[in-house]
Amino acid sequence: MPGKKVCIVGSGNWGSSIAKIIGNNVKASNRFDPMVNMWVYEEMIKGRKLTEIINTEHENVKYLPGHKLPKNVLAVPDIVEAVRGAKVIVFVIPHQFIADLCDQIKPHLTEGAIGISLIKGLSEGPDGIQLVSDIIREKLHVDVSVLMGANIASEVADDKFCETTIGAKNVANGLIFKELLQTANFRITVVEESDTVELCGALKNIVAVGAGFCDGLVSSDTFLESCGVADLVTTCYGGRNRKVAEAFVKTSKSIAMLEEEMLNGQKLQGPQTSAEIYKLLQKKNLVNDYPLFSAIYQICFEGRDVKEFITCLQNHPEHM
Ligand SMILES: NC(=O)C1=CN([C@@H]2O[C@H](COP(=O)(O)OP(=O)(O)OC[C@H]3O[C@@H](n4cnc5c(N)ncnc54)[C@H](O)[C@@H]3O)[C@@H](O)[C@H]2O)C=CC1
Ligand SMILES: O=C(CO)COP(=O)(O)O
């Protein structure tokens, strides 16, 4: 039986990195056709077509310069030609272009094709937000998995180690994509909660913009020293304050009692510091402006129910 033809819809920074992996993986597997089509949004680079450059120099000089693509990855400027005969379609374009492309693909889709979306984004649908994978499902009536992870395209192209997650409602299809995409240094876990995987991938981009805002507003240099974000992450994962606070919720014992039971004479600094800061906030009439610090103090020392923790944060004056 001939191997399944793969088409990559997209050839940007991530699309080209993924093409490098797919091109190599199909050569090593009987499951896939050894030639891969990569749809390229055509543009001129110094008087030459990008597809022509990719097909002769095997490099996407605009979106992934410095990396050779395998020769079995063929750049195709016509989307209809690119998807012709494809049984496996990898969608990897900026999300704003997906609906239009699906409309172009639909009349030419091969029966039994399956898809995977590497696209991090959401769209506005008739009933609120819509997952990109749902747009593809609705328009093409194919099974769609998703792949999202902590993956920077140029690092993956450099073959640096990282992990990623495939969300597959149809696990058998998820495993086909794992075979297509996994390498020794790009390790894949397949889970069934596809929608959760996709939402994580889309929403983290908004937080990334916020992180950029913060770095632009303040000098980030000191926060990037060990004393800053690194210590915050470390303490929240592995520290004594975190450990005792979790036990406080699970056992309903007091912080003082748990400190004695769990720390063998070692001392917690967080609750005490929250009390000191709370006094200062009271003096300056700022208690309501610091709901996180205030709620933690009140839970630790004033008997406030820990179940109200989220409610405390919901009542920030800025939200009113
Ligand atoms: N770059 C990265 O490190 C990663 C990107 N992603 C996600 O992958 C998706 C694709 O991103 P990249 O491959 O990085 O793209 P990119 O941002 O590097 O490139 C833009 C791509 O869009 C194409 N394009 C421009 N105008 C177009 C049009 N009118 N119609 C169709 N295509 C057009 C360009 O030709 C180019 O291929 C995004 O959702 C991104 O969030 C996910 C993980 C890592
Ligand atoms: O998705 C990514 C990392 O996981 C790439 O993020 P950016 O699109 O912000 O470069």
Side-chain angles (χ1 to χ4, degrees):
M1 222 167 91
K4 291 175 194 292
K5 179 84 180 167
V6 179
C7 173
I8 304 166
V9 175
S11 57
N13 191 222
W14 192 216
S16 301
S17 299
I18 282 298
K20 198 174 162 189
I21 290 179
I22 291 178
N24 287 328
N25 280 359
V26 294
K27 284 190 272 186
S29 160
N30 302 328
R31 193 196 283 274
F32 305 105
D33 186 302
M35 286 304 294
V36 174
N37 283 354
M38 177 172 74
W39 175 71
V40 175
Y41 180 75
E42 190 68 284
E43 55 192 294
M44 300 302 287
I45 313 281
K46 293 185 184 151
R48 289 174 73 197
K49 289 179 176 168
L50 181 56
T51 47
E52 183 202 313
I53 298 173
I54 294 174
N55 287 336
T56 51
E57 287 158 36
H58 306 289
E59 183 176 335
N60 187 336
V61 292
K62 176 158 180 187
Y63 293 103
L64 191 65
H67 291 275
K68 289 292 172 201
L69 299 179
K71 292 187 178 149
N72 56 331
V73 173
L74 183 70
V76 182
D78 180 346
I79 185 69
V80 172
E81 277 308 308
V83 297
R84 195 182 298 285
K87 286 269 183 154
V88 174
I89 307 181
V90 179
F91 296 92
V92 55
I93 49 166
H95 73 276
Q96 52 269 45
F97 305 126
I98 189 66
D100 182 47
L101 266 170
C102 284
D103 289 338
Q104 295 180 56
I105 290 170
K106 186 168 184 195
H108 309 281
L109 196 67
T110 301
E111 170 127 24
I114 57 172
I116 187 165
S117 169
L118 278 55
I119 299 168
K120 290 179 173 170
L122 296 167
S123 284
E124 214 181 319
D127 307 313
I129 58 161
Q130 199 173 18
L131 299 175
V132 169
S133 64
D134 278 337
I135 298 177
I136 303 171
R137 286 183 195 106
E138 263 175 35
K139 289 193 175 276
L140 301 183
H141 305 290
V142 294
D143 178 68
V144 183
S145 301
V146 299
L147 178 147
M148 313 274 145
N151 314 127
I152 299 293
S154 56
E155 295 182 0
V156 173
D158 278 336
D159 203 26
K160 292 193 174 146
F161 180 87
C162 65
E163 293 170 307
T164 199
T165 314
I166 285 181
K169 292 178 196 281
N170 178 325
V171 174
N173 288 344
L175 294 173
I176 294 176
F177 287 114
K178 181 171 179 164
E179 183 176 335
L180 182 68
L181 292 158
Q182 181 161 268
T183 72
N185 283 327
F186 187 63
R187 307 303 296 167
I188 298 179
T189 304
V190 179
V191 301
E192 283 182 61
E193 291 80 18
S194 173
D195 294 351
T196 313
V197 172
E198 193 169 355
L199 277 172
C200 290
L203 297 179
K204 70 86 192 159
N205 277 339
I206 307 174
V207 180
V209 175
F213 286 159
C214 291
D215 287 356
L217 284 170
V218 295
S219 160
S220 57
D221 294 0
T222 305
F223 294 121
L224 293 179
E225 297 289 343
S226 180
C227 63
V229 178
D231 192 16
L232 183 62
V233 173
T234 304
T235 196
C236 290
Y237 276 113
R240 297 167 298 181
N241 288 292
R242 194 215 72 83
K243 191 161 76 178
V244 171
E246 186 183 356
F248 173 78
V249 177
K250 289 186 171 158
T251 64
S252 303
K253 292 181 184 172
S254 72
I255 294 276
M257 198 183 288
L258 290 166
E259 186 177 26
E260 203 173 308
E261 281 178 19
M262 295 173 71
L263 297 186
N264 192 28
Q266 295 180 34
K267 291 289 168 214
L268 283 187
Q269 303 296 283
Q272 193 54 41
T273 308
S274 80
E276 281 142 10
I277 291 289
Y278 192 73
K279 261 186 247 153
L280 176 76
L281 294 176
Q282 278 180 314
K283 211 156 112 192
K284 301 217 172 245
N285 211 15
L286 287 172
V287 167
N288 291 333
D289 290 331
Y290 288 84
L292 178 68
F293 284 179
S294 301
I296 289 168
Y297 163 76
Q298 288 162 357
I299 291 165
C300 288
F301 294 107
E302 292 192 340
R304 190 153 189 183
D305 190 342
V306 71
K307 294 197 187 76
E308 286 176 27
F309 191 37
I310 300 294
T311 318
C312 299
L313 305 183
Q314 283 165 340
N315 290 331
H316 194 292
E318 295 289 325
H319 302 159
M320 299 302 174

